[in-house]
Amino acid sequence: SSLRTIYIPRLTQIGNNDLGELSQCYEIVVDRDNRYYTVVQGALYDYNVTTLLRVPCGLKGEIVVPKGTTRVSNYACYKCDGITSVYLPNSVNYIGSYAFSYCRNLNAVDMPENCNEMGRGVFKASGITRLDLPDGIPAIAEEMLFASLYDGFSMNFIIGYL
């Protein structure tokens, strides 16, 4: 689609997957009186900035998630080819399924040491070539890392805990 800007009105609350792919979206605007959501550096968060919900695919460069954010939602950066790096604070303890999948130019993710849960296909078909996982991840979800191998990507991992 050619939707360039999404405007979320004052009294609107949306479901996690209601925004779709956002493949042509460059901007998310939230009404200043909306008490459910806010935008930080172009990305959509819940009002208290504890959950990164969505990044419009038109954003380019690095994403710096604010301190205090604890969750990255499923599909948060799905198909965001303009993103080259993501910096996650140590407060992040959960990264949802397919959060960074199909981000083909993503080459660096600063993984938080407190992350103890990751969903399926988090980095599927992304540009990641090296990933240092914290020791605290108790289990690696199905497709979390190695699905990218099937999509023609070469990946090297340093995994501290399996």
Side-chain angles (χ1 to χ4, degrees):
S1 83
S2 61
L3 184 64
R4 299 282 192 200
T5 301
I6 292 176
Y7 175 75
I8 302 174
R10 178 173 66 101
L11 297 175
T12 301
Q13 193 171 11
I14 54 177
N16 189 33
N17 292 322
D18 288 348
L19 291 177
E21 272 187 35
L22 303 184
S23 61
Q24 299 295 316
C25 183
Y26 287 86
E27 180 180 37
I28 298 174
V29 177
V30 175
D31 188 286
R32 66 185 175 110
D33 292 327
N34 186 304
R35 296 297 174 234
Y36 301 107
Y37 307 104
T38 191
V39 173
V40 177
Q41 295 180 335
L44 181 67
Y45 290 83
D46 67 322
Y47 186 75
N48 294 316
V49 193
T50 58
T51 303
L52 170 59
L53 297 170
R54 291 303 295 269
V55 172
C57 291
L59 283 185
K60 298 189 184 316
E62 68 180 27
I63 301 290
V64 179
V65 175
K67 290 180 181 175
T69 301
T70 59
R71 299 176 60 85
V72 176
S73 288
N74 298 341
Y75 298 95
C77 298
Y78 183 74
K79 290 189 176 180
C80 291
D81 282 341
I83 296 173
T84 56
S85 58
V86 177
Y87 298 96
L88 301 171
N90 278 333
S91 55
V92 171
N93 56 34
Y94 172 79
I95 300 174
S97 295
Y98 305 100
F100 303 106
S101 64
Y102 295 95
C103 296
R104 298 191 188 272
N105 293 308
L106 179 64
N107 53 44
V109 175
D110 188 21
M111 291 294 294
E113 291 184 21
N114 293 325
C115 185
N116 57 23
E117 186 177 353
M118 296 174 79
R120 295 176 59 140
V122 172
F123 299 106
K124 181 178 182 176
S126 71
I128 295 288
T129 56
R130 180 184 173 106
L131 184 65
D132 296 326
L133 295 178
D135 287 341
I137 295 179
I140 293 181
E142 183 180 349
E143 294 185 351
M144 184 180 82
L145 304 170
F146 304 105
S148 291
L149 294 173
Y150 301 113
D151 294 323
F153 288 87
S154 172
M155 301 180 86
N156 300 308
F157 296 99
I158 296 176
I159 298 177
Y161 180 80
L162 277 179

